[in-house]
Amino acid sequence: MSALDDAVAAIRQRRPKRVVAFTGAGVSAESGIPTFRGPGGLWQSFRPEDLATPEAFARDPDVVWQWYEWRRGLVRAAQPNAAHRAIARLPDAIVVTQNVDGLHTRGGSRDVIELHGSIFRVRCTREHTTRDAFEAFAEVPPRCECGALLRPDVVWFGEALPPDAWERATEAIRRADLLLVIGTSGVVYPAAGLVALSRGLSIEVNPEASGISSACTFAIPMTAAEATPRIVEELLR
Ligand code: NAD
């Protein structure tokens, strides 16, 4: 039997009710959005750790914004894939995502906790107000009406996670009977530490072994779009 068959058999036996999907960049890979550690085209020679930081923004907001505009363009053109859509079929599932791409919501999930913010929201660096911003900016770096620079409303390396999102995520994972861990390398903390809070069944979907595979009950070496629909099918039976 494959790891997927074993996991499906465990779901059949335990019939978990409270389901949390904890996702990372890999869940969006099959929508054509590169993971940080995959091939990144134009930006392949840049390390995200050198661009997604407050220091990089203070040094060169123009280059940081060019990188974000490139990523925002990729995500605008992308569609949710079979994994996003399958998760959305679980009516009461809570999604805890490290992604900033909004694809879970566009795929139909109603309860999405965004631990790292959204690239389709901006924040004024002076007034700290936020607003949605889906379309490309006419000029980068964009500015607030007050004249100050706008920044993407995302969590950069070295910044704290939004406390309310973190609290909701830890509570949901502690209470879950089933934690699906999909497409995360498990190396970006504190988000990666969430898996250790799970007390129920935990199933990882990732074609590669990750930093958290050994903490999960089952590790399925398949892609998100291949394995997730089968798991969801069993949960809905
Ligand atoms: P990561 O880039 O560190 O790791 C991605 C993981 O996904 C890897 O373990 C890889 O083996 C796995 N993977 C690749 N293709 C997959 C597929 N088809 N199905 C399932 N798994 C697949 O990403 P991370 O762990 O999320 O951490 C990086 C940080 O950067 C996070 O904050 C992340 O969300 C952010 N980021 C977000 C996006 C996005 O919003 N789409 C894209 C890149 C990075």
Side-chain angles (χ1 to χ4, degrees):
M1 284 226 299
S2 69
L4 178 58
D5 293 331
D6 289 342
V8 165
I11 290 172
R12 192 169 303 156
Q13 196 190 4
R14 296 211 210 169
R15 303 256 57 102
K17 294 273 172 302
R18 289 189 292 262
V19 180
V20 172
F22 174 50
T23 66
V27 79
S28 297
E30 285 153 292
S31 293
I33 300 170
T35 62
F36 272 0
R37 285 150 191 92
L42 185 61
W43 293 97
Q44 201 156 16
S45 53
F46 287 79
R47 293 183 343 130
E49 292 86 342
D50 295 336
L51 288 165
T53 67
E55 294 76 23
F57 189 71
R59 199 168 47 236
D60 196 342
D62 201 29
V63 78
V64 170
W65 262 111
Q66 284 180 40
W67 182 59
Y68 274 98
E69 281 301 78
W70 168 71
R71 292 180 61 207
R72 282 158 44 86
L74 278 180
V75 178
R76 266 195 305 272
Q79 296 301 324
N81 65 50
H84 298 107
R85 290 196 304 268
I87 294 166
R89 290 182 62 210
L90 297 169
D92 301 317
I94 300 175
V95 178
V96 177
T97 189
Q98 300 166 83
N99 294 348
V100 292
D101 57 27
L103 286 177
H104 283 294
T105 304
R106 277 168 64 193
S109 285
R110 279 170 298 180
D111 196 353
V112 182
I113 303 173
E114 292 180 320
L115 290 176
H116 292 165
S118 166
I119 50 168
F120 294 120
R121 217 167 40 232
V122 288
R123 189 187 332 148
C124 173
T125 53
R126 183 187 295 151
E127 300 167 324
H128 309 296
T129 47
T130 62
R131 68 172 166 84
D132 292 340
F134 189 71
E135 298 304 328
F137 289 101
E139 269 178 38
V140 291
R143 289 189 177 270
C144 179
E145 287 81 42
C146 79
L149 284 174
L150 290 169
R151 58 164 281 179
D153 191 26
V154 299
V155 177
W156 281 331
F157 290 99
E159 293 185 321
L161 270 56
D164 48 339
W166 179 254
E167 208 167 296
R168 280 202 64 216
T170 51
E171 168 80 10
I173 290 175
R174 280 205 185 93
R175 286 169 48 88
D177 315 313
L178 171 63
L179 180 65
L180 300 173
V181 182
I182 307 176
T184 177
S185 55
V187 296
V188 180
Y189 278 82
L194 284 171
V195 175
L197 301 177
S198 149
R199 289 184 284 228
L201 190 62
S202 50
I203 300 175
E204 180 187 54
V205 176
N206 192 324
E208 312 283 335
S210 78
I212 42 188
S213 302
S214 60
C216 294
T217 324
F218 298 99
I220 300 173
M222 291 170 67
T223 73
E226 285 167 354
T228 315
R230 170 100 192 274
I231 293 170
V232 167
E233 220 36 79
E234 186 58 40
L235 285 166
L236 290 172
R237 262 157 64 106

